Amino acid sequence: MESGGSIGTILVMILLIGMSAFFSSTETAFTSFNHARVKALARSGNKRARLAIELSDKYDKLLSSILIGNNIVNILASSLATVVFVAWLGGAGVSVSTVVMTVLVLIFGEISPKTLAKDHADQLVLAFAPYINFIMLLLTPLNWIFAQWRKLLALVFPAPKDEGMAEEELLTLVAEAEQEGEIDEHESDLIRSAIEFNDQTAEDILTHRVDIVALDVEMTMDEAEQVFHENTFSRLPVYEDSIDNIVGVIHEKDFFNNRTATSLREIMKPPLFVTPTSRISDLLHTLQKAKSHMAIVSDEYGGTMGIVTMEDIIEELVGEIYDEHDQVVESFKKLPDGSYLIDCTASLRDMQELFAIQGDFDAATVGGWVLDQMGRIPAVGDTFVYDNRLSVRVTRVESTRVLEISVHQLDGAAEQTA
């Protein structure tokens, strides 16, 4: 082969390897790019971003075009290399050509472009979208043939039913996004709360009956006014005979705007009753529909288990909400020695997250968990060890209720939660 012809052939081979790099990087870019970010660009009017999203929605056709194009250029490059090396080296040229082209295609046509494409996926899908779209149009006949072949394969080897993304997978994606810096800790907590929102029930977030501040329907207006002044609640339930028989709810504004009323019955509104197993997502809709901010949670015997407010539900999404009258209570207070003082009204779920405790428990609060673990009403100073990980000591008790505990992580447990 003449030297001029060899140089021309080598230049064509370099061009083909470059096209191989283009196809390889395009494949990786379209499998790795941030869909949310590119969709945001598309919504803002970026034409290339809109085209990239359209191509990703036709991923089977896109992948077929990439694979067809990549194989064509690789085969052509290998064929030309064989011609050149046979002309130069005779019979040994076939073996030399195979080794050289394998190395060149792997390094410059596959590994390097795919590595770079993974790190710059968003930029590359925007840059390559018009070109790969043009190639897809050129290869439409071949894509149609392979589409029929895919349909035949799907009939012979049917794909398993898509069960969608599990909650655990979503939480893993959120954790990865936070680690990679795509979202901050506050955004991560908000997304996790939204994902887990439907898992919680009224029983998980209610204010227990022993903590309810309520009005006796037979109270005088002056007595009721005193209760409102002594507490910071804007709404109070009204009971008759006992807390198990709640007959109404009074808003503070309605109470003080009705000075002519002579009894609580005149200004109270009918209560809304729900079951303890009501999901808080459904309960939120129920409260909105009823235009109410409070629901009474009834137990299986028709008694009062507790109350749930609109604020309780919203706090499960956005965290604690305090106004200027609220007394801020720190549920988990870390002490200088590394132990924690824990308010026993705190959610057991929050304590599980703090100490990375796995398992399902019947109790919804830390206090209920302590009673379950001890199997009796504890006294101040009582201790127990949970799962060889946590040393728990009761620090405050009121009557039959546990108010506060001290928790110390044993050696090994601290390392797991660090």
Side-chain angles (χ1 to χ4, degrees):
M1 180 181 288
E2 297 180 0
S3 60
S6 296
I7 293 174
T9 304
I10 291 172
L11 290 176
V12 173
M13 288 166 50
I14 293 173
L15 176 62
L16 291 172
I17 291 175
M19 293 181 68
S20 176
F22 164 76
F23 286 117
S24 297
S25 58
T26 301
E27 179 185 356
T28 300
F30 271 92
T31 56
S32 306
F33 80 97
N34 188 311
H35 284 72
R37 190 176 300 156
V38 175
K39 281 182 178 178
L41 287 174
R43 285 194 294 268
S44 66
N46 188 306
K47 294 182 179 179
R48 291 200 173 202
R50 189 180 302 118
L51 178 58
I53 294 300
E54 290 174 1
L55 293 176
S56 68
D57 290 339
K58 300 182 287 188
Y59 186 73
D60 285 344
K61 187 176 179 181
L62 171 71
L63 185 59
S64 291
S65 299
I66 291 172
L67 294 178
I68 292 169
N70 205 17
N71 278 282
I72 288 174
V73 297
N74 285 342
I75 292 170
L76 281 176
S78 298
S79 300
L80 290 176
T82 301
V83 172
V84 171
F85 281 101
V86 167
W88 288 350
L89 304 175
V94 176
S95 300
V96 174
S97 171
T98 301
V99 173
V100 171
M101 288 306 297
T102 299
V103 172
L104 290 177
V105 170
L106 277 176
I107 294 176
F108 299 106
E110 295 289 337
I111 296 174
S112 297
K114 287 187 174 183
T115 300
L116 292 172
K118 188 176 185 302
D119 295 332
H120 306 280
D122 292 357
Q123 297 93 320
L124 289 181
V125 292
L126 298 179
F128 292 167
Y131 306 107
I132 196 65
N133 185 51
F134 176 70
I135 291 171
M136 287 172 63
L137 292 175
L138 288 179
L139 297 176
T140 296
L142 288 175
N143 277 323
W144 183 85
I145 293 173
F146 284 109
Q148 307 315 306
W149 174 248
R150 283 197 302 271
K151 290 179 181 178
L152 178 60
L153 288 177
L155 290 174
V156 179
F157 305 102
K161 184 179 180 181
D162 185 8
E163 297 180 354
M165 186 173 289
E167 182 178 302
E168 292 76 13
E169 295 176 277
L170 284 172
L171 293 173
T172 300
L173 288 176
V174 173
E176 290 176 352
E178 182 181 359
Q179 290 173 359
E180 293 172 3
E182 295 180 2
I183 57 176
D184 59 32
E185 183 180 357
H186 173 70
E187 292 170 328
S188 175
D189 290 341
L190 188 59
I191 295 171
R192 272 196 290 265
S193 297
I195 293 172
E196 296 173 345
F197 188 65
N198 202 47
D199 293 339
Q200 299 188 71
T201 63
E203 186 176 7
D204 295 327
I205 66 170
L206 60 76
T207 298
H208 198 272
R209 56 176 287 149
V210 297
D211 295 317
I212 294 176
V213 176
L215 301 171
D216 187 331
V217 73
E218 300 301 333
M219 278 183 174
T220 65
M221 300 300 287
D222 289 338
E223 290 172 333
E225 181 176 350
Q226 184 65 28
V227 175
F228 272 113
H229 284 313
E230 291 174 353
N231 297 276
T232 60
F233 305 114
S234 58
R235 294 171 180 81
L236 293 177
V238 181
Y239 66 88
E240 186 173 11
D241 297 329
S242 78
I243 196 68
D244 284 317
N245 184 29
I246 292 180
V247 293
V249 175
I250 292 182
H251 193 292
E252 181 182 27
K253 180 180 67 176
D254 295 335
F255 178 83
F256 288 103
N257 287 343
N258 283 274
R259 290 296 187 177
T260 58
T262 58
S263 73
L264 297 181
R265 293 184 189 274
E266 296 178 34
I267 53 177
M268 69 184 187
K269 295 181 179 178
L272 174 66
F273 293 94
V274 298
T275 64
T277 56
S278 300
R279 294 189 182 277
I280 61 174
S281 55
D282 297 331
L283 182 53
L284 178 60
H285 292 302
T286 301
L287 288 171
Q288 290 174 322
K289 187 176 180 180
K291 296 181 180 180
S292 175
H293 282 252
M294 177 185 291
I296 314 303
V297 183
S298 299
D299 61 24
E300 59 184 312
Y301 303 106
T304 300
M305 179 179 286
I307 60 173
V308 173
T309 66
M310 183 81 77
E311 183 176 308
D312 294 330
I313 299 173
I314 295 174
E315 284 180 342
E316 291 304 309
L317 278 175
V318 301
E320 291 294 326
I321 301 173
Y322 298 105
D323 62 28
E324 61 273 19
H325 301 296
D326 285 341
Q327 180 180 358
V328 179
V329 177
E330 192 173 0
S331 298
F332 300 88
K333 183 178 180 181
K334 190 170 185 179
L335 302 179
D337 63 357
S339 63
Y340 285 83
L341 275 180
I342 300 178
D343 185 334
C344 286
T345 61
S347 166
L348 180 58
R349 184 192 296 263
D350 292 340
M351 182 174 144
Q352 286 181 269
E353 291 180 0
L354 177 63
F355 297 114
I357 298 174
Q358 303 297 322
D360 295 323
F361 301 96
D362 292 332
T365 65
V366 174
W369 174 76
V370 172
L371 293 176
D372 286 346
Q373 296 301 310
M374 299 198 70
R376 59 180 175 82
I377 305 299
V380 173
D382 284 351
T383 62
F384 67 91
V385 174
Y386 174 75
D387 197 28
N388 293 320
R389 299 185 59 199
L390 304 178
S391 175
V392 181
R393 182 168 63 88
V394 178
T395 54
R396 278 202 302 140
V397 173
E398 182 181 89
S399 184
T400 59
R401 299 177 62 204
V402 186
L403 299 182
E404 185 185 73
I405 60 172
S406 171
V407 178
H408 179 75
Q409 291 179 279
L410 302 178
D411 292 341
E415 297 177 5
Q416 294 179 40
T417 57

